[in-house]
């Protein structure tokens, strides 16, 4: 198991390809290098997470992205959860594709995010 840059670098190309329109590669790199985003990884998978602090003071470990083998990804999530608890987090969340609801049965749907692209005629 690797943590930080050593976990991120082998999967960097997969992470930066996930949503470059919203998260340019330079931004993702900077978040990891500065320690704002944490990364856990093995030879076959890696996950990225951040700590979100709400105005109330509630802290949440928030899963941002994952790359690689699904079973390895699922095995890495408890490490991120434990890290979040050490950082004072009371919640863990993952914002991703709907399929994660089926894979992570110990998580429950809290909110749904829907998106509409606006054009000049909308």
């Amino acid at each position: 198991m690797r943590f930080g840059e050593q976990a991120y670098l082998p999967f960097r190309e997969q992470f930066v390809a996930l949503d470059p329109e919203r998260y340019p590669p330079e931004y993702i790199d900077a978040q990891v290098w500065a320690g704002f985003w944490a990364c856990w990884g093995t030879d076959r998978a890696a996950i990225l997470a951040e700590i979100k602090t709400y105005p109330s003071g509630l802290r949440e470990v928030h899963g941002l992205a994952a790359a690689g083998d699904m079973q390895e990804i699922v095995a890495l999530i408890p490490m991120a959860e434990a890290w979040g608890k050490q950082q004072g987090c009371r919640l863990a969340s993952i914002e991703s594709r709907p399929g994660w609801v089926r894979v992570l049965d110990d998580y429950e749907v809290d909110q749904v995010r829907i998106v509409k692209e606006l054009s000049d005629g909308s």
Side-chain angles (χ1 to χ4, degrees):
M1 213 283 289
R2 295 185 286 266
F3 181 76
E5 294 176 25
Q6 280 67 36
Y8 173 71
L9 286 173
F11 294 91
R12 180 190 179 274
E13 294 307 313
Q14 291 176 52
F15 283 131
V16 301
L18 290 173
D19 196 355
E21 188 173 324
R22 291 185 180 100
Y23 298 98
E26 303 79 25
Y27 177 82
I28 296 172
D29 290 344
Q31 296 303 299
V32 173
W33 304 154
F36 296 125
W37 291 4
C39 190
W40 295 263
T42 66
D43 291 339
R44 298 176 43 210
I47 61 173
L48 286 172
E50 68 178 341
I51 302 288
K52 292 175 77 171
T53 303
Y54 292 92
S56 66
L58 176 72
R59 292 170 59 87
E60 168 185 293
V61 59
H62 176 77
L64 296 162
D69 178 78
M70 178 67 73
Q71 289 181 332
E72 293 278 323
I73 291 168
V74 172
L76 290 167
I77 291 172
M79 294 174 201
E81 293 170 346
W83 175 78
K85 285 175 84 172
Q86 291 172 347
Q87 306 301 314
C89 294
R90 287 192 13 230
L91 297 175
S93 69
I94 297 171
E95 185 175 338
S96 190
R97 304 285 187 253
W100 282 105
V101 173
R102 292 187 301 275
V103 174
L104 300 173
D105 59 5
D106 57 339
Y107 278 68
E108 61 185 54
V109 175
D110 178 53
Q111 295 180 355
V112 175
R113 181 174 183 258
I114 59 175
V115 178
K116 175 183 177 184
E117 184 147 343
L118 300 176
S119 64
D120 292 337
S122 295

